[in-house]
Amino acid sequence: MTTLTASELSGEAKLFYLVGPSGSGKDSIINSLRSQLEADSNLLIAHRYITRAVDDSGENHIALSVPEFTHRKHSGLFAMDWQANGCNYAVGNEVNTWLSMGFSVLFNGSRQQIPLAEELFGERLRVIALDVEPQVLAERLRKRGRESEDDIAARLRRSEQYQASLPEDCWRLDNNRNLDSTVSKLLKYIEAQTTELYIQ
């Protein structure tokens, strides 16, 4: 894959908003993608700020206390923020700075907040929705060992409802099997979008 630099893609920067149900593999994809980016890549991956301690979930986020988060929000330091699962989430204003410099940005978003992302990022926004078969998702959730069978069943029901409500123009990315294949498809999509050659 040819990696174009920010100067070569000035004005074509996009905001790639990755969404999917819990257990769909967003963190694994982002971590793999991060390890493959070249030093002069046009793509930057934004950390999320979360009022949750760093754990072994695989997510590389910045943990803030609730007072810290509130202070940063009231100081206008977030490009976007939302609440989910009893925690506060945000991405910082560095996202807007990077976009204005010609860098494209990817971050782990919330399906419920797609309308807010559309309002904030407009035509730059590209929603990428992970598709995972229910039986595969259930098995991944069981392996995590965090939820009971009732909790897993509830997550599967919510996932089905959310997936059915996704925007028609979002790009669907299959993540049922091979991680390397998924990341390869994602990289090709990102390159095509930033050079405006991609055709659905």
Side-chain angles (χ1 to χ4, degrees):
M1 172 181 162
T2 301
T3 302
L4 301 180
T5 64
S7 61
E8 292 171 312
L9 293 176
S10 180
E12 304 297 337
K14 302 293 189 298
L15 191 289
F16 295 100
Y17 189 83
L18 182 66
V19 299
S22 180
S24 61
K26 297 187 296 295
D27 292 328
S28 296
I29 289 171
I30 289 173
N31 289 335
S32 178
L33 179 62
R34 181 179 282 114
S35 71
Q36 295 185 42
L37 293 181
E38 298 178 14
D40 62 348
S41 174
N42 174 61
L43 181 69
L44 300 175
I45 299 174
H47 289 86
R48 298 196 298 180
Y49 300 87
I50 309 177
T51 55
R52 183 183 69 218
V54 175
D55 54 25
D56 60 357
S57 65
E59 179 174 15
N60 187 5
H61 72 271
I62 298 172
L64 297 178
S65 67
V66 172
E68 285 179 313
F69 189 99
T70 302
H71 177 60
R72 294 191 187 205
K73 178 176 179 177
H74 291 167
S75 299
L77 300 180
F78 294 147
M80 178 177 176
D81 69 276
W82 66 95
Q83 291 184 319
N85 306 314
C87 295
N88 296 315
Y89 295 75
V91 289
N93 273 337
E94 60 268 22
V95 168
N96 290 321
T97 300
W98 296 341
L99 288 169
S100 69
M101 294 174 66
F103 289 99
S104 289
V105 181
L106 179 144
F107 69 80
N108 181 350
S110 164
R111 289 173 296 174
Q112 290 178 298
Q113 302 302 323
I114 290 175
L116 176 60
E118 291 173 335
E119 177 184 341
L120 293 172
F121 300 107
E123 294 183 357
R124 292 182 183 271
L125 185 71
R126 297 293 184 273
V127 178
I128 301 170
L130 294 183
D131 275 336
V132 180
E133 296 171 0
Q135 61 270 28
V136 174
L137 184 59
E139 184 59 28
R140 289 177 182 173
L141 291 171
R142 291 188 184 100
K143 285 182 178 179
R144 294 197 316 187
R146 299 182 201 167
E147 296 98 349
S148 67
E149 285 299 315
D150 287 343
D151 292 335
I152 290 173
R155 282 193 179 276
L156 293 177
R157 288 193 297 272
R158 288 198 299 272
S159 173
E160 183 178 1
Q161 294 168 354
Y162 282 133
Q163 294 297 94
S165 66
L166 287 169
E168 292 183 2
D169 60 349
C170 72
W171 187 63
R172 303 281 186 136
L173 178 59
D174 184 297
N175 191 36
N176 284 294
R177 293 167 184 86
N178 185 275
L179 177 63
D180 290 340
S181 175
T182 300
V183 174
S184 177
K185 290 177 184 177
L186 176 58
L187 282 167
K188 289 177 181 177
Y189 172 76
I190 289 171
E191 181 178 1
Q193 283 291 316
T194 51
T195 54
E196 299 197 339
L197 295 176
Y198 187 79
I199 300 176
Q200 290 282 355

